Amino acid sequence: MDVPLDIGLEEAGAVLAAEAARFASFGWMRGTSGNLSVVVSRNPVRLAVTASGLDKGELTAADVVLTDAAGAAVGAGRPSAEAALHARVVRLTGAGAVVHVHTVAAVAMGGRRPGGIEFEGLEMLKGLGYRTHDVAVVLPVIGNSQDMAELGDRLEAALRPGMPAVVVAGHGLYVWGDDPRQARHRTEVVEWLLELALTG
């Protein structure tokens, strides 16, 4: 491989396999749904993305595909169909890792609040980087599309400062962070908020 990696592809695959197993155990990546990515190089931009069509609870370190800054495969393998959106999030936000899960709460709340989901006065907001619970924030909701360029445009238009997540109506949740651990923590926090909103 002639691509200079900041971390090895196998190492990235092992990390993503462990993260996927965790999310699958929560029921957030049922069947073969959902996908994860981590940036393995910044110059040039390269992402390790979970391979398409695999059970996310059974991934191995080899079940990732290297992609370029547009989400196209570099070398062998077929990445998730949504790799292009992962790459777009990385370009827009500088994220080091992106999580996409299909949770019941995200789909349900995206349908109930198509204009965005507001949260206010909750201690858990600190888990998204807010300094105090005494804030009101909006989690954006965007319409779904099978066209990743169109979906990426919608995501870009909906981005809000300080909010590292977006709900795709009828589909699921995208969350990002500096690295896989932060992306995981933020995903768990956003899902908690969505579950709370669902009970209201």
Side-chain angles (χ1 to χ4, degrees):
M1 183 183 304
D2 60 0
V3 177
L5 301 179
D6 296 333
I7 64 171
L9 189 59
E10 185 174 352
E11 177 187 351
V15 169
L16 293 183
E19 295 297 322
R22 180 184 179 98
F23 291 131
S25 76
F26 297 157
W28 298 356
M29 300 182 94
R30 295 182 186 271
T32 63
S33 70
N35 35 73
L36 308 175
S37 66
V38 61
V39 174
V40 296
S41 173
R42 291 285 182 185
N43 186 24
V45 172
R46 295 289 184 264
L47 285 76
V49 183
T50 50
S52 179
L54 300 179
D55 186 321
K56 300 309 184 298
E58 299 178 350
L59 296 183
T60 70
D63 293 326
V64 292
V65 178
L66 189 68
T67 75
D68 63 17
V74 176
R78 183 165 65 99
S80 161
E82 292 156 338
L85 192 59
H86 285 247
R88 183 85 172 259
V89 169
V90 167
R91 293 198 309 272
L92 290 170
T93 69
V98 181
V99 170
H100 173 48
V101 290
H102 294 216
T103 71
V104 172
V107 173
M109 288 306 301
R112 289 184 187 181
R113 308 272 173 76
I117 307 159
E118 185 170 345
F119 302 101
E120 184 174 5
L122 296 168
E123 192 71 18
M124 283 292 272
L125 291 171
K126 292 180 180 178
L128 298 179
Y130 296 98
R131 293 177 181 268
T132 173
H133 72 280
D134 192 22
V135 292
V137 302
V138 175
L139 173 61
V141 176
I142 61 175
N144 195 16
S145 175
Q146 298 306 301
D147 183 326
M148 289 303 108
E150 181 178 354
L151 193 57
D153 289 345
R154 292 175 183 175
L155 185 145
E156 182 171 0
L159 287 176
R160 293 175 177 264
M163 175 54 72
V166 65
V167 169
V168 180
H171 188 170
L173 177 66
Y174 281 86
V175 186
W176 50 90
D178 293 339
D179 53 47
R181 177 186 287 260
Q182 186 180 66
R184 179 219 306 161
H185 290 168
R186 288 176 169 180
T187 302
E188 292 178 357
V189 168
V190 172
E191 175 61 14
W192 185 95
L193 292 167
L194 287 167
E195 290 178 14
L196 178 67
L198 193 58
T199 67

